[in-house]
């Protein structure tokens, strides 16, 4: 009987990754950096071609990292058969929401079909995509059985939530990994494999517990963001500066984690992940009131900010219509280029519908991308003098906020950046 745990702990095995996006590509490169072999599979011909030319499409992965990985033999392919060479297959495909915010498992289903086609004895199969508790056992255990493979004898099945934080300094190699096996032994073998790539592994009792762990992590964020968004609205009604209060509460060294109000909740994690849990709860006739209410609060924040901006203009004798607006930041969070599901874009589209003319300053998003959204693209050194209003929607670093406060007569700050930077200007009104 092969000692699989020793094999994955000590030998140079090959990691296979299905899905070469912002989760899969960093994981593949982590395997390379850990001295392991690596083969990446993606259905996108364009993505694979660019990877083989060492062109990264992921913010946190440089072309140079790709070039070095190719030099030591990493491979990228659209041929799923190449995954037969992998000793462990990590599945990092999207798990978006489909119509009426139901889970869209089409990518997970497709990857289960790929696994059924290419899995062979000796492999670990790990799902990393965020999904509802039960997905791994519902889709991958049957796929392996249909392939004639017996879990724990031929193959090992686990779930391990991805913990990639776009734009953060923390790389995959520095973040502990939670792992839940389809069986305890599968969990041990998967933990041995991950132990070669991450600083520590935390094993839970099942794939369902691991799937639920990820959903708890991000539901915690969504609910607390919803709480602070509601607190911000209350604070405004009773003439209190919420940013001052958050700063003060943050001096408590225990029992408080700061969250911040904003234009709404963007990205592909926080708005979506809790909905996977809510969907699974409904299947069990359980009402997830906190998730549902946080979603209500967070999803109305773009409109709340538009109302506050309109009130600010009106109190200075201006309508939204025909107003020249300088919008700072359209990506969904600071210091990254990703504008998917960005609340900033929801705010701007509502202002544009009311007749405002919008120019965007976002050093992280290409000028072409800004123009694709239908806005005028500004570069950093252009004059701000002819704008009636500036709105800070994403508080990127490297923006000259002092110049904005000096040159633009009205500034609406949805991110509390002027408070945080200690820029005190009568032109600035914060959310
Ligand atoms: N947001 C607020 N107020 C806050 C925090 C966030 O309005 O206090 C908004 C952000 O502007 C953004 C959205 O919520 O539009 C999501 O922000 P996020 O900081 O949660 O960033 P994400 O979506 O990139 O979340 C990812 C998650 N990582 C994984 O799921 C593996 C999350 O668990 C991480 O905590 C987060 O990165 C991170 O901390 O960077």
């Amino acid at each position: 009987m092969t000692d699989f745990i020793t094999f994955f702990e000590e030998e140079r095995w090959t990691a296979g990754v299905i899905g070469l996006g912002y989760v899969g590509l960093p994981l593949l490169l982590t395997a390379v950096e850990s001295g392991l072999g690596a083969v990446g599979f993606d259905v996108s011909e364009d993505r694979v071609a660019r990877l083989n030319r060492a062109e990264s499409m992921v913010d946190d992965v440089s072309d140079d990292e790709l070039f070095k990985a190719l030099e030591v033999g990493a491979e990228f392919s659209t041929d799923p058969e190449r995954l037969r060479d992998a000793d462990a297959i990590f599945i990092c495909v999207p798990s978006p929401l489909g119509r009426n915010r139901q889970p869209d498992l089409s990518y997970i289903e497709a990857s289960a079909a790929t696994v059924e086609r290419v899995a062979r004895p000796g492999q670990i199969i790990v799902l990393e995509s965020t999904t509802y508790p039960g997905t791994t056992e519902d889709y991958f255990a049957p796929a392996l059985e249909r392939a004639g493979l017996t879990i724990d004898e031929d193959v090992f099945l686990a779930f391990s939530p991805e913990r990639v934080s776009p734009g953060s300094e923390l790389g995959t190699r520095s973040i502990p990994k939670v792992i839940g096996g389809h069986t305890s032994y599968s969990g041990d073998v998967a933990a041995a494999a991950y132990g070669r790539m991450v600083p520590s592994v935390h094993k839970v009792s099942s794939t369902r517990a691991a799937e639920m762990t990820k959903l708890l992590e991000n539901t915690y964020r969504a609910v607390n963001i919803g709480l602070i968004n509601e607190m911000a609205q209350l604070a405004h009604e009773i003439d209190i500066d919420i940013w001052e209060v958050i700063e003060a509460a943050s001096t408590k060294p225990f029992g408080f984690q700061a969250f911040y109000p904003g234009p709404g909740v963007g990205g592909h994690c926080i708005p979506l992940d809790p909905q996977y849990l809510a969907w699974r709860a409904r299947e069990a006739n359980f009402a997830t009131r906190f998730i549902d209410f946080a979603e209500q609060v967070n999803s109305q924040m773009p409109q709340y900010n538009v109302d506050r901006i309109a009130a600010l203009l009106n109190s200075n004798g201006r309508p939204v219509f025909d107003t020249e607006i300088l919008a700072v930041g359209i990506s969904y969070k600071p210091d990254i280029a990703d504008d998917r599901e960005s609340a900033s874009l929801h705010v701007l589209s509502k202002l544009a519908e009311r007749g405002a003319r919008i120019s965007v300053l976002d050093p992280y998003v290409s000028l072409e991308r800004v123009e694709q959204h239908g806005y005028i693209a500004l570069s950093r050194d252009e004059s701000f003098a002819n704008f009636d209003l500036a709105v800070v929607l994403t508080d990127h670093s490297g923006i000259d906020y002092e110049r904005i406060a000096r040159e633009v007569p009205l500034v609406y700050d949805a991110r509390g950046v002027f408070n945080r930077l200690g820029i005190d200007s009568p032109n600035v009104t914060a959310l």
Side-chain angles (χ1 to χ4, degrees), residues 162-165 214 218 221 260 266 270 332-333 415:
E162 58 92 358
R163 280 182 165 174
V164 173
S165 167
K214 172 59 186 263
N218 281 354
R221 290 185 71 74
Y260 300 93
I270 308 310
Y332 78 83
K333 72 177 187 179
R415 293 291 192 172

Side-chain angles (χ1 to χ4, degrees), residues 17 32 37 43 68 76 246 269 306 308 317 330 333 405 415 418:
V17 176
V32 172
V43 293
K68 287 180 178 149
F76 300 109
I246 295 167
C269 300
V306 168
R308 288 285 306 276
I330 59 171
K333 72 177 187 179
R415 293 291 192 172
F418 292 89

